[in-house]
Amino acid sequence: MSAATSAAEAAAGGARLVVDGMVVEYPTAAGTVRAVSDVSFELGAGETLGVVGESGCGKSTMARAVLQLPAPKAGRVLFEDTDLTTLSGDRMRRLRPELQMVFQDPVSSLNPRRTVRDIVAEPLTIWKKGTRAERQQKVDEMLHAVGLDPQEYGGRKPTELSGGQCQRVAIARALVAGAKLLVCDEPVSSLDVSLRATVLNMLEDLQDRFDLSILFIAHDLAVVKNISDRVMVMYLGKIVEIADADALYARPAHPYTVALLDSIPDPDPDAPAPKASLAGDPPSPVDPPSGCRFRTRCAWAQDVCAQVEPPLAEVAAGHRVACHFPFVATGTLPIRERDHTAPLPG
Ligand code: SF4
């Protein structure tokens, strides 16, 4: 989707968030960083979109630009039909309670000198929501919702909590003032593996309860698998594949997605080590490769890949891929049985 009419259709079709043609660039000493290049997608009410890619692929920059932190250089961000990129500072501030973010490091995202109760109450105080008693009641409700007993934890400070408890407090703070869109930027990456499933399950419960739309960012496809309704894979500032989660894991069509899936370790300690199908580092976003940006690391690259940028085209209903030679024919093979030495497609 890139035309304005597409964005309007998506909004009319009930999408809570529509991102249309987003571009984020910023100058550096080395040149202009093309962090996000013509990215378009939509997110429904109560839907979770997993956003995955290696470090530097633009996923966090894109998510922050959705929240206008800062605004993108070009493109539109429609939140419930309102284009956030055109709002004045005052109107944007009034919408902030509905647009919230949870960060990777829960401990450093909380003020160590304040109590849990004060931290969670802060958005209500800033936006002057309710009386003091109502705010107190709302804070207690949110602490219960994230699994923390207000009597036991309300008076503690972040330094007296575990990382998982700090992330629960951060989520309570994000939701207390009525968030509708939650951007979660690697929210479980810094937690022990044993805690991750607990926090992810809690997020799913909160989503049902509060009808949240969630942009869930991770560098690892394994993390977003269970929580995402759809998954979007980014590479060097571009969407390379987007599909329903089940379809993407069962029938990945882009070589980069296949490589990411191949690199997921098997929980079985006796299983063979993951294939190292993704060699080298991504190129610089200051000077991305011509044509397909993935071509310098793609085993299937052919001449056309350097000359023509592949469009994000539909290969199945709701499944779009930016590749001249997508894996549609071999898509039914289990990931680990894919032959990366197979003859070139086409
Ligand atoms: S367009 Fe070409 S280089 Fe890019 S992912 Fe597809 S096969 Fe590889």
Side-chain angles (χ1 to χ4, degrees), residues 308-326:
V308 181
E309 182 177 350
L312 192 60
E314 198 160 70
V315 291
H319 190 158
R320 287 180 287 157
V321 182
C323 175
H324 293 304
F325 308 102

Side-chain angles (χ1 to χ4, degrees), residues 157-170:
K157 293 182 175 170
T159 50
E160 300 171 276
L161 303 177
S162 68
Q165 288 166 341
C166 283
Q167 197 57 294
R168 288 170 189 267
V169 173

Side-chain angles (χ1 to χ4, degrees), residues 240 253-256 291-306 308-310 321-327 344-345:
V240 296
H254 195 283
Y256 181 57
C292 173
R293 293 188 178 185
F294 186 57
R295 69 176 169 82
T296 54
R297 301 170 80 194
C298 180
W300 282 265
Q302 299 187 39
D303 289 348
V304 66
C305 303
V308 181
E309 182 177 350
V321 182
C323 175
H324 293 304
F325 308 102
F327 285 108
L344 291 175

